[in-house]
Amino acid sequence: MAGTAAGTDDRIARGPLTGVRVVELAGIGPGPFAAMCLADLGADVVRVDRPGGTALAVDPAKDLTNRGKRSVLVNLKDLQGPERVLDLVERADILIEGYRPGVAERLGVGPDACLARNPKLVYGRMTGWGQDGPLAQRAGHDISYLALTGTLGMIGRADEPPTVPANLVGDYAGGSLYLVIGVLAALQHARTPQGTGQVVDAAIVDGASHLATMLHGMLAAGGWQDRRGANLLDGGCPFYGTYATSDGQYMAVGALEPQFYAEFTGLLGIAETAPDRGDLARWGDLRDTIAARFKERTREEWTEVFAASDACVAPVLSMREAPRHPHLAARATYVEHGGVTQPAPAPRFSATPGAIRRGPALPGADTAEVAADWDVPNLTKGDTD
């Protein structure tokens, strides 16, 4: 079972970013997730929501990427809207926005306006294509960015279309996490005696490309073929992949090193009959041998066989099953907060643990509180136009 959300009281758990103030201009996808990561680590994140909400059709109370934040409602198209955001910016350390290039400028809250108000501000920009280049103004989604970088083309079986890895590799790995790295590095610089604020241009095409650095090195060295399903780590290798069990479930095998492979084949019961793993011409035969053996038992039975081994074999669990796995439960990798089981903050810190301090921010629910805490009385005033 999932653990409980320990340390939600600020007096008990104060993350390493306690005292850092973040303004997030509401959007969807990688921007909100990046801001959530900062909130998990203790930052005071104020999300500037627009009247009418965003295009994401999710109940705001269940939108976990908005956990740990507070929300204010500001219409940037109103006369006083930009000024209210700039009042927040003046008191902030970081701003995050995910508009198309030029939109924030047209709304009056672009980098020039914000840095003029707060020269130490880190202005984080999250886009798919980046702030410049021929495609900068074009629409796109995670799958579009992965396709262009060569990342999508390397995922999947050789005889099938590329496999879509949800929106994890592009939006969140290549996007959100690179934005978090960027704004924290820029914040470190801004806080040095001669440091200044700056703009962080985080593009998913850049991040997704950067993630594949090791593979590009292997490609250059001749150790990686530029086609999917033909390599050591992309499913081409019979001892690095997934296999169906008798109950229609799957086991994941990653027995790369010789000692792990020996333990794997021994426990699988094919040590004496399996084709030589070093004979690439017989990899197809080896895959068939492994597949046939896994088909003889259920996932639960094979899990028990490999449970205490170094064979690098694990059951493929669903999202609902994962929190109940004994290892993840022991580490409280998943926690329950507000009646919702969800991933706990990561990574972990020995002295300044992160925590889920509050549930998802409801649009506009915290305007008065933020106005008082950040000393921005203008935030609660009505427009005069």
Side-chain angles (χ1 to χ4, degrees):
M1 294 180 62
T4 57
T8 55
D9 189 325
D10 279 319
R11 294 169 299 177
I12 299 173
R14 297 175 65 82
L17 296 184
T18 295
V20 174
R21 287 179 167 180
V22 180
V23 172
E24 176 199 348
L25 302 185
I28 61 174
F33 184 80
M36 182 209 78
C37 291
L38 299 176
D40 282 353
L41 298 181
D44 181 5
V45 179
V46 171
R47 178 177 166 95
V48 179
D49 278 298
R50 68 194 75 173
T54 64
L56 188 63
V58 174
D59 176 2
K62 297 292 193 299
D63 186 354
L64 298 180
T65 61
N66 284 330
R67 72 187 188 190
K69 307 175 186 178
R70 296 187 287 180
S71 170
V72 302
L73 211 60
V74 176
N75 188 349
L76 282 168
K77 295 183 179 179
D78 284 345
L79 183 63
Q80 297 301 318
E83 187 62 27
R84 292 189 181 117
V85 171
L86 291 174
D87 282 346
L88 289 170
V89 164
E90 186 175 333
R91 296 156 175 80
D93 300 290
I94 297 168
L95 179 141
I96 289 176
E97 61 96 352
Y99 302 140
R100 288 199 205 190
V103 171
E105 286 84 347
R106 290 196 296 273
L107 291 172
V109 291
D112 289 346
C114 289
L115 287 166
R117 183 67 72 90
N118 181 357
K120 289 279 191 177
L121 180 75
V122 174
Y123 193 105
R125 315 197 82 167
M126 183 75 261
T127 61
W129 303 116
Q131 294 298 312
D132 53 26
L135 296 176
Q137 292 297 332
R138 300 281 72 81
H141 275 296
D142 176 286
I143 193 170
S144 317
Y145 315 131
L146 292 186
L148 208 67
T149 61
T151 309
L152 183 63
M154 71 172 70
I155 303 173
R157 295 187 180 278
D159 56 350
E160 297 177 0
T163 297
V164 180
N167 66 332
L168 302 178
V169 178
D171 279 353
Y172 299 130
S176 303
L177 298 186
Y178 277 87
L179 178 60
V180 170
I181 292 170
V183 297
L184 293 182
L187 180 63
Q188 167 66 19
H189 168 72
R191 289 185 164 183
T192 60
Q194 285 77 42
T196 62
Q198 61 182 306
V199 177
V200 177
D201 175 3
I204 295 172
V205 290
D206 296 346
S209 297
H210 192 259
L211 286 170
T213 299
M214 183 192 78
L215 302 185
H216 279 278
M218 293 175 68
L219 182 67
W224 189 272
Q225 298 183 64
D226 194 15
R227 53 191 178 91
R228 65 180 170 278
N231 298 285
L232 194 64
L233 302 174
D234 66 355
C237 171
F239 41 94
Y240 194 89
T242 57
Y243 290 91
T245 53
S246 63
D247 54 349
Q249 300 296 319
Y250 291 87
M251 297 295 290
V253 177
L256 292 176
E257 292 81 359
Q259 68 273 28
F260 300 152
Y261 180 79
E263 190 163 356
F264 163 63
T265 55
L267 289 171
L268 194 64
I270 62 170
E272 303 301 324
T273 58
D276 179 10
R277 80 174 202 156
D279 184 355
L280 272 61
R282 298 204 63 193
W283 269 13
D285 295 333
L286 177 56
R287 178 177 287 104
D288 291 343
T289 300
I290 295 172
R293 185 72 175 117
F294 270 119
K295 273 286 193 177
E296 294 177 8
R297 298 186 186 180
T298 66
R299 185 186 69 178
E300 183 177 355
E301 289 171 331
W302 283 121
T303 298
E304 181 63 26
V305 168
F306 290 103
S309 78
D310 277 342
C312 301
V313 177
V316 178
L317 303 182
S318 72
M319 290 176 64
R320 292 191 185 278
E321 289 176 317
R324 300 194 298 270
H325 187 276
H327 179 79
L328 303 184
R331 284 184 57 80
T333 298
Y334 291 84
V335 297
E336 184 175 311
H337 189 280
V340 178
T341 298
Q342 55 198 281
R348 305 180 184 205
F349 299 82
S350 61
T352 56
I356 303 173
R357 292 171 174 78
R358 57 172 72 202
L362 301 181
D366 310 296
T367 303
E369 182 181 284
V370 172
D373 286 354
W374 285 36
D375 190 22
V376 187
N378 187 43
L379 203 57
T380 58
K381 293 181 181 177
D383 290 298
T384 58
D385 57 329

